[in-house]
Amino acid sequence: MKKKILAMTVLAACMMFASCGKESDGQGIDMVQIMEDSGQAEPESGASGAGGQPEAGRGMPEAGNPSSEKSAEDELALKEALAGESGEEQTEVVLSDKLLKAGDTLEVLYFVDEHTLEQGLELTLQDAKLSASPEEAQLDRALMVEETENYDLSGDPMMYRIDEAGILTCNLTIRNVNVEEGDDLHIGTFMIAYADPATGKVSILTSMPTYFSASSSSVGKSDYYHYELPKGESKEMVVAWLIPGEYEAENLYLCVTYDNREPGERQYFRLFGQE
């Protein structure tokens, strides 16, 4: 696979603000924070997101290594991609009926060229649990990110600390179907969505996890959300996100941050409640 999975995730997380959250309204996106989370920029003290919700449902152009020259090229490509979005018809994404449950498997698809989709990863949800504290979730605080960015009910970014939100823990199995050795893998490919129970409108809730057991680095490092998984192999991992209390558990879903399927065909794992 020629595409870099990390670069795809970074650009997708930025471009997701239109169709899977609130409609585009001219709000900005903090590219510095996203680049830091992906390991493509040096972290800055106090950096935080500042803009509309990400959109789940956009493919991304390829980006390369995180040199200063390449980072500038990546930022330019990102700006051009966002500019292109403004000319598109903006529509809300409504929860499709392609709902998966624990034990099911979701295929993660990528564009290898303009017309060809290829499966890169395979995601299986083993189980999910919502806890009130790290202790209840049986997680070590010392191995958790102290503060992560989420979105409030109006779609604005908010920073939450460990003791200010619930902890959603998912046991996942990821299989590398067709990602070549050397391509970057990033847990930001997967995020938690919220679906309004009255309208079915889908909004992305999380930014990055507070805990990631399969990290190839350590908490606090810029590459904490990266992981390694040779082609053809599977890995079990525990991923935990901070969930503000105003979100009902039965309306939470696990999804791909972008999904190249048509909105009505996109798949979501129902985490709690009725199947």
Side-chain angles (χ1 to χ4, degrees):
M1 175 180 291
K2 302 294 184 183
K3 301 275 182 188
K4 294 289 184 182
I5 305 303
L6 169 61
M8 297 171 72
T9 301
V10 171
L11 292 177
C14 295
M15 292 186 287
M16 288 190 307
F17 73 101
S19 70
C20 190
K22 58 192 292 186
E23 296 183 34
S24 177
D25 58 3
Q27 290 180 312
I29 290 180
D30 191 335
M31 287 181 281
V32 173
Q33 179 66 37
I34 295 172
M35 298 295 277
E36 287 173 4
D37 287 339
S38 66
Q40 296 192 48
E42 291 297 324
E44 296 181 4
S45 176
S48 63
Q53 287 183 339
E55 169 197 359
R58 301 292 178 195
M60 299 152 289
E62 179 177 357
N65 296 325
S67 64
S68 58
E69 179 180 355
K70 190 61 180 177
S71 295
E73 293 175 4
D74 292 342
E75 183 171 336
L76 177 60
L78 175 58
K79 289 179 179 178
E80 291 174 346
L82 291 173
E85 288 266 312
S86 64
E88 296 182 3
E89 180 182 356
Q90 302 301 330
T91 58
E92 294 181 354
V93 171
V94 177
L95 188 69
S96 73
D97 59 0
K98 308 296 181 180
L99 297 182
L100 305 174
K101 61 183 184 302
D104 290 340
T105 297
L106 183 154
E107 294 181 353
V108 182
L109 304 178
Y110 303 99
F111 274 109
V112 293
D113 58 44
E114 185 178 355
H115 304 290
T116 308
L117 281 172
E118 182 176 274
Q119 183 180 358
L121 301 172
E122 187 177 83
L123 172 69
T124 302
L125 171 66
Q126 302 301 342
D127 59 58
K129 179 177 66 174
L130 191 58
S131 306
S133 67
E135 291 73 25
E136 184 179 329
Q138 298 183 325
L139 298 177
D140 185 346
R141 285 175 178 263
L143 301 178
M144 299 173 67
V145 178
E146 285 273 339
E147 185 177 57
T148 64
E149 185 179 76
N150 290 59
Y151 297 89
D152 65 18
L153 291 173
S154 63
D156 295 322
M158 297 286 290
M159 300 303 294
Y160 286 91
R161 299 182 64 81
I162 292 175
D163 292 322
E164 297 175 334
I167 299 172
L168 172 62
T169 305
C170 290
N171 288 293
L172 308 175
T173 300
I174 296 179
R175 185 168 75 91
N176 181 350
V177 176
N178 200 33
V179 179
E180 299 295 341
E181 183 178 357
D183 281 0
D184 294 308
L185 292 170
H186 194 284
I187 195 59
T189 299
F190 309 106
M191 294 178 80
I192 304 301
Y194 174 84
D196 187 295
T199 65
K201 179 182 174 181
V202 176
S203 302
I204 291 297
L205 171 60
T206 58
S207 175
M208 292 294 172
T210 183
Y211 177 80
F212 180 37
S213 69
S215 173
S216 56
S217 184
S218 58
V219 67
K221 301 294 185 181
S222 61
D223 57 349
Y224 173 69
Y225 296 111
H226 297 242
Y227 64 99
E228 298 177 357
L229 184 59
K231 184 176 179 179
E233 295 188 13
S234 299
K235 179 176 290 188
E236 296 183 0
M237 55 188 71
V238 178
V239 188
W241 294 266
L242 297 183
I243 306 295
E246 60 263 39
Y247 291 89
E248 307 87 3
E250 61 269 22
N251 296 315
L252 298 176
Y253 298 84
L254 173 66
C255 65
V256 179
T257 51
Y258 68 99
D259 192 332
N260 291 302
R261 300 171 177 86
E262 292 299 316
E265 295 297 315
R266 293 176 189 169
Q267 297 182 334
Y268 303 82
F269 284 99
R270 185 190 291 276
L271 297 176
F272 306 100
Q274 185 178 1
E275 295 182 4

